[in-house]
Amino acid sequence: MTTNEPIKSKDFIRAIIAEDIKNNKHGGRVTTRFPPEPNGFLHIGHAKSICLNFGVAAENNGVCHMRFDDTNPSKEEEAYVESIKKDVQWLGFDWGDKLFFASDYFDKLYKYAVALIKMGKAYVCDLPPEEMRQYRGTLTEAGKDSPFRNRSVEENLDLFTRMRDGEFEDGSRVLRAKIDMTSGNINMRDPVIYRILRAHHHRTGDKWCIYPMYDYTHCLSDAIEGITHSLCTLEFEDHRPLYDWVLDTLQTPCHPQQIEFARLNLTYTVMSKRKLLQLVNEGHVSGWDDPRMLTISGIRRRGYTPASLRSFCDIIGLAKRESRVDMGVLENAIRNDLNDTAPRRMAVLRPIKLILTNYPEEQEEMLAIANHPKNSDMGTRQIPFCREIYIEADDFLEEAPKKFFRLSPGREVRLRAAYLITCDRVIKDEQTGKIIELHCTYDPESRGGSAPDGRKVKGTLHWVSARHAIQAEVRLYDRLFNVENPDGDKNTDFKSHLNPNSLEILTDCFLEPQLAKATANDHLQFERLGYFCRDDKESTENTPVFNRTVTLRDSWEKVTKKK
RNA sequence: UGGGGCGUCGUCAAGCGGUAAGACACAGGCCUUUGACGCCUGCAUUCGUAGGUUCGAAUCCUACCGCCCCAGCCA
């Protein structure tokens, strides 16, 4: 295979992995994992991690495990597990038979904890939470040893067994790693590795009343699965010494390398699960899959394609510096994808009726139009035409500036794939002055859209036959927040930046008949308007609902805004 | 005043001692039966700042400055 593509430079993680392979680390094998906690829906930030982990594995003939980090049954649910699996698959990734749960390892984890106790490297601590915090010290002051730190191995073993057997109340005791209370890294100040928690676990039921903590579980799960590279976000950088301490102390046969990268931030949105949940719970959006939400399920319903998301993750790169990617980059990714793949259709969102006064009342005809301007493989279709049509309200201006080359009294424009028409008369409501309909004449010689005399017409309008159109509801979405960084100021509630106009519902839209057959899987361009997709959740038998995925670029709008 | 990171165009991001890739955005122009798409052109004499090493520094050294993360029995 030869290629003239510019060489895409490797990000720092791929560079590290390439080096490891070269040095035959882990025998040249690459195994990664995507480790979500099943306590919420996946968002586009997770997509970055998914593309990284599955991508890096695939590029190196490795595998990526799907592993649920389910160590906190008080927050986790089976329903989230299902939605997460669906989202990852939808994005186009396959974990084969490598589906795991941290809870699969509870027995092993317990045995490792016993081993730690026997080594004198872990102890049961009876300090109540408040006191434990005081003993931990502060960011600038060292902590103090717990009075329970020097319990004998026998006593620790006995106590830990009884913790497991349910002899003690929730929160009354914990198992702690014995490391260093004076460490500058607070994670190393004898971190808790097991807590007592009587909660029903979605997989292990009521088998356990003690659950291992993240820091202890994650590294061991990685080691058990033979993960080679454990990729996570920046905030875990401080945890790496603990990750390594657990594996070194236990001398696990496999010691994965944790590497941290910066999480994704986008302008005009929030990314934390907590804040997304708040938007849902407080009714600012219709749910986790509201098309304005940057959850995977919301994006999907909005009409984004898996390919566009993968491409987006590729474009934004990977580094350690914190950044905020312009929402325009995401929009560019979906436009690029859909420009190539979306069949074109015609739809009028804000209709004005237009009568062709010289077109015979009874006459109807079918006109051929290409489904794609550049790709003839996508074929053509027939669209009906008659005396009464709808055009876009924006496409008519009674007093138009010179640069406006759409319809205006006395001006001639082209109806896409149909005829050249000239506007003769504007009919208005006598009371309100509102335009009711436009009377135009068509040039019968211009069938298809060009005149035999070769005269040039600058403007081309989309239209729909009034007699044949199907009526629909169309939902237009705008950014959810009206500032670039809604949660940037700790003193301001991010919800005060919500964009009140993020959703506009248009109920009197007219679509070409072809669109009656569209499904949620069809990504369509409504010519001159944008890319749209049917919303199966909102559509009814009689009224289809379409979501606008993204607008087309609009340089006319730019011109208008300048003035 | 502790520990861990990060600072290259408006926004992302390459670069790893040999004289600043690419993408988005932006500005012009061409093309056009989508004011779309496509195409062309322009857009960091400069890499947080200040010194130093070197024939040569975004890259090495030193010192500053700025930003982010850490004191859950959350992940």
Side-chain angles (χ1 to χ4, degrees):
Chain A
M1 189 179 85
T2 58
T3 175
N4 295 317
E5 294 286 302
I7 299 147
K8 173 110 169 59
S9 50
K10 278 195 174 78
D11 56 70
F12 78 104
I13 289 181
R14 276 177 244 257
I16 291 170
I17 291 175
E19 190 64 19
D20 288 347
I21 292 171
K22 203 175 103 192
N23 297 328
N24 207 237
K25 193 175 173 184
H26 304 288
R29 181 177 59 85
V30 174
T31 304
T32 56
R33 100 271 91 112
F34 173 61
E37 183 189 11
N39 70 341
F41 284 71
L42 259 27
H43 53 63
I44 192 168
H46 294 108
K48 176 176 178 179
S49 174
I50 293 166
C51 290
L52 204 218
N53 279 294
F54 281 91
V56 126
E59 290 157 25
N60 295 290
N61 296 310
V63 290
C64 178
H65 297 185
M66 178 72 175
R67 182 172 75 234
F68 288 91
D69 227 330
D70 56 349
T71 56
N72 186 359
S74 64
K75 292 185 175 173
E76 296 152 6
E77 292 173 24
E78 176 63 24
Y80 291 127
V81 171
E82 291 313 311
S83 85
I84 289 168
K85 282 159 73 175
K86 177 181 175 183
D87 288 349
V88 174
Q89 285 172 326
W90 176 78
L91 268 174
F93 298 103
D94 180 12
W95 53 83
D97 60 350
K98 306 297 183 188
L99 172 64
F100 304 111
F101 293 82
S103 55
D104 294 342
Y105 312 132
F106 282 175
D107 284 303
K108 286 179 182 165
L109 261 21
Y110 181 81
K111 285 180 187 142
Y112 272 126
V114 169
L116 236 28
I117 292 171
K118 286 181 176 166
M119 278 183 246
K121 296 291 189 182
Y123 63 97
V124 172
C125 182
D126 304 356
L127 248 25
E130 172 60 23
E131 280 185 55
M132 193 182 297
R133 190 176 342 130
Q134 284 163 4
Y135 272 82
R136 190 153 36 224
T138 68
L139 293 178
T140 52
E141 297 161 45
K144 303 181 296 206
D145 286 359
S146 159
F148 305 99
R149 197 172 202 258
N150 293 312
R151 290 219 252 230
S152 68
V153 168
E154 292 68 33
E155 187 183 6
N156 281 321
L157 245 20
D158 173 60
L159 255 14
F160 188 51
T161 305
R162 289 161 64 192
M163 275 170 67
R164 180 200 63 190
D165 292 343
E167 284 193 33
F168 310 122
E169 282 179 27
D170 283 15
S172 61
R173 272 176 242 258
V174 295
L175 184 69
R176 291 226 255 172
K178 190 190 280 190
I179 308 180
D180 178 8
M181 289 306 291
T182 68
S183 172
N185 182 346
I186 291 178
N187 295 299
M188 299 299 268
R189 318 238 263 230
D190 290 9
V192 171
I193 59 177
Y194 265 94
R195 76 281 216 182
I196 303 173
L197 178 64
R198 284 174 178 77
H200 187 81
H201 190 281
H202 70 106
R203 301 206 95 217
T204 59
D206 298 313
K207 179 178 176 188
W208 298 90
C209 65
I210 56 170
Y211 290 96
M213 301 289 289
Y214 166 83
D215 285 308
Y216 175 72
T217 308
H218 201 88
C219 54
L220 284 170
S221 302
D222 282 347
I224 290 167
E225 291 178 18
I227 300 300
T228 58
H229 301 270
S230 182
L231 314 179
C232 63
T233 43
L234 250 29
E235 68 271 25
F236 291 103
E237 211 149 19
D238 290 346
H239 296 241
R240 181 157 24 96
L242 178 51
Y243 184 106
D244 290 331
W245 181 91
V246 171
L247 299 187
D248 286 340
T249 305
L250 256 6
Q251 295 181 49
T252 52
C254 168
H255 190 137
Q257 178 182 5
Q258 175 178 306
I259 309 172
E260 310 83 13
F261 61 91
R263 62 183 341 140
L264 170 67
N265 292 296
L266 275 170
T267 56
Y268 300 104
T269 191
V270 294
M271 205 65 92
S272 90
K273 270 191 213 172
R274 206 196 97 245
K275 292 190 174 100
L276 294 174
L277 178 64
Q278 214 178 326
L279 294 174
V280 173
N281 285 344
E282 296 175 16
H284 297 106
V285 294
S286 64
W288 282 101
D289 64 348
D290 185 298
R292 291 168 292 180
M293 294 275 274
L294 286 183
T295 50
I296 305 289
S297 50
I299 291 171
R300 172 168 59 231
R301 200 172 145 201
R302 173 85 168 250
Y304 276 73
T305 58
S308 70
L309 255 25
R310 280 185 251 118
S311 151
F312 170 73
C313 290
D314 207 41
I315 287 164
I316 57 175
L318 188 74
K320 291 195 74 160
R321 72 183 84 106
E322 289 179 52
S323 58
R324 185 169 303 278
V325 176
D326 194 304
M327 187 68 85
V329 179
L330 214 209
E331 293 177 346
N332 187 252
I334 187 64
R335 285 194 187 106
N336 276 338
D337 182 22
L338 261 22
N339 178 49
D340 290 340
T341 58
R344 309 297 109 136
R345 294 290 182 266
M346 288 208 283
V348 174
L349 268 31
R350 296 178 174 87
I352 312 187
K353 184 167 277 189
L354 187 153
I355 314 253
L356 295 167
T357 51
N358 60 338
Y359 195 94
E361 180 80 46
E362 304 307 320
Q363 188 172 318
E364 288 180 13
E365 61 185 308
M366 297 300 281
L367 300 165
I369 183 168
N371 288 324
H372 191 107
K374 297 262 170 77
N375 182 358
S376 55
D377 290 348
M378 291 176 79
T380 58
R381 66 189 187 283
Q382 299 290 123
I383 48 174
F385 185 82
C386 68
R387 189 172 196 264
E388 293 188 14
I389 63 171
Y390 291 111
I391 64 162
E392 208 68 57
D394 280 356
D395 284 338
F396 177 82
L397 218 49
E398 204 167 2
E399 285 171 44
K402 292 176 294 297
K403 301 281 267 185
F404 182 88
F405 39 86
R406 280 118 98 148
L407 197 61
S408 189
R411 291 201 195 174
E412 183 172 51
V413 298
R414 172 167 37 240
L415 292 178
R416 178 91 229 264
Y419 293 97
L420 300 183
I421 63 166
T422 303
C423 181
D424 307 313
R425 211 149 72 89
V426 184
I427 312 298
K428 295 181 185 174
D429 183 299
E430 284 177 20
Q431 248 67 43
T432 64
K434 188 172 175 286
I435 297 172
I436 299 171
E437 57 187 42
L438 270 12
H439 286 189
C440 303
T441 45
Y442 85 111
D443 175 359
E445 298 299 303
S446 64
R447 190 172 198 270
S450 49
D453 64 9
R455 68 181 184 277
K456 293 281 182 257
V457 171
K458 186 77 171 160
T460 300
L461 312 187
H462 60 278
W463 54 273
V464 144
S465 161
R467 207 174 284 166
H468 308 272
I470 56 173
Q471 197 159 0
E473 176 177 317
V474 173
R475 300 185 177 187
L476 308 180
Y477 302 102
D478 196 359
R479 48 183 65 141
L480 235 195
F481 294 90
N482 47 30
V483 296
E484 284 202 355
N485 186 5
D487 53 1
D489 179 5
K490 293 173 194 77
N491 301 316
T492 312
D493 183 357
F494 73 101
K495 295 192 295 313
S496 67
H497 298 302
L498 276 163
N499 173 7
N501 306 313
S502 59
L503 168 64
E504 184 176 6
I505 298 181
L506 303 174
T507 52
D508 296 310
C509 309
F510 293 102
L511 317 179
E512 65 167 87
Q514 187 81 207
L515 255 4
K517 295 189 294 227
T519 72
N521 293 322
D522 297 319
H523 301 272
L524 303 155
Q525 184 193 99
F526 290 179
E527 291 205 28
R528 303 210 301 138
L529 297 173
Y531 296 96
F532 294 78
C533 170
R534 186 175 191 270
D535 190 322
D536 281 351
K537 199 166 173 176
E538 297 292 323
S539 294
T540 63
E541 196 65 29
N542 299 321
T543 312
V545 174
F546 281 81
N547 291 322
R548 184 175 68 195
T549 307
V550 67
T551 61
L552 255 32
R553 269 201 202 80
D554 186 352
S555 55
W556 170 244
E557 187 184 47
K558 264 181 207 169
V559 174
T560 349
K561 273 181 182 166
K562 267 188 210 167
K563 290 170 183 174

